[in-house]
Structures are given as C-alpha cells and as structure tokens.
Amino acid sequence: MAYVTAEARQNLLDDLALAIEELGVALAALGAAYEALDEQSGDRLEEGLFRPVQSAYGRAQRTHSAFAERYGLPTRTFAPASAGLPSQGVKGFLEKATEAIAESDTLLVELQDSMAPVEVGDEQLRAGLSEVRALLADLQDRAALFVSRFGR
C-alpha cells in the first residue's frame, strides 16, 4: 500500500509539474509581448496578465515543492520556457500565452477532478491548487480582451 501511495503522490506531482510548465510558457510569451509593446500597453499587459500569471506560477511551484518535501519526494526546478520566435509578433505571443493559460487550467481541473489530491494529497495541496485556479480564473478572458484591443 505504501508503494502505491508513494507512486500516486509522484504522479500527482508530475501532473502538477505539467501545469506549471504551461504557466512558464505563458510567462515567457507575455514577457516577449511586453518587450514589443509601447510603454502604456506594456503597463496594461503587466498589470492585467503578467503579474497574475506570475503569481499563479509562483504559487504552483511553492505548492509543488512543499508537497514533495512533506512526503520526501524529489523536488524540482522549472527552467524558463521559450517564448518562441519574435516573428510571431505581439498578437502571436498573446495567443500563445492564452493557449498556455488555458492548458494549465485544464490540467489543474483534471487533477482536481481526479480526486487524487484528496486520496493521496493533503489539505495544503488542495488549498494551493484552488488558489492557483483562482488566480487563473479570468485570465483567458482578459487575454482575449487584450488581443481584441490590440492595434486599436
């Protein structure tokens, strides 16, 4: 039974890591978009999208590390993601970020719906996952709105 629980906990960490990696992609794409924007648009992007994604990314990493440490599982670091080619332009970067945010949220929903956090997890893990989801809650809509206003 202990082996099954340890394996389930590791699988849970691996699933959470996939969501974190997607948030890393979103951060990289938003950073690249920021660099290509004028100051006013860049400030709006930073406030409305980059900071919330950065907060979610940090919270997800802390949740991952704390859970691993509590159960003696290996922790990991997450390498910065690539934003992709500059030829994508701001709109391409924003679309990439939106897709990565959506994918991360989908992965987190699937993880929560699997009941694995309840079965092998703990209250702190569930709270961390909920907090990350709350941070991501309206970011897809914000990103779409930002893209729709881009170029006006």
Side-chain angles (χ1 to χ4, degrees):
M1 181 73 171
Y3 176 77
V4 172
T5 300
E7 187 176 342
R9 285 181 177 140
Q10 185 59 57
N11 289 338
L12 190 146
L13 279 176
D14 293 344
D15 292 344
L16 178 54
L18 293 174
I20 294 169
E21 288 170 352
E22 288 295 329
L23 290 175
V25 170
L27 276 178
L30 290 170
Y34 176 86
E35 292 299 323
L37 289 169
D38 62 80
E39 187 175 341
Q40 184 180 14
S41 297
D43 289 346
R44 281 196 335 264
L45 176 74
E46 181 178 5
E47 183 68 30
L49 295 171
F50 186 85
R51 284 187 195 161
V53 171
Q54 187 177 42
S55 294
Y57 182 69
R59 180 63 173 115
Q61 285 185 330
R62 288 189 305 277
T63 299
H64 185 281
S65 295
F67 182 77
E69 289 170 4
R70 277 193 301 279
Y71 295 101
L73 298 169
T75 59
R76 64 173 278 192
T77 56
F78 294 88
S82 170
L85 299 173
S87 60
Q88 294 179 79
V90 173
K91 187 172 182 180
F93 288 130
L94 291 172
E95 288 171 349
K96 183 174 187 171
T98 303
E99 289 171 9
I101 291 166
E103 181 62 23
S104 181
D105 192 48
T106 298
L107 290 166
L108 292 170
V109 166
E110 289 172 1
L111 184 59
Q112 287 179 314
D113 286 350
S114 74
M115 295 303 291
V118 173
E119 294 168 359
V120 300
D122 57 26
E123 188 174 321
Q124 293 161 321
L125 174 74
R126 291 190 304 273
L129 293 174
S130 293
E131 187 177 334
V132 172
R133 295 243 10 259
L135 290 166
L136 297 177
D138 67 341
L139 289 183
Q140 292 175 61
D141 292 337
R142 282 193 219 174
L145 182 61
F146 194 91
V147 168
S148 73
R149 291 183 177 168
F150 181 69
R152 284 186 186 182

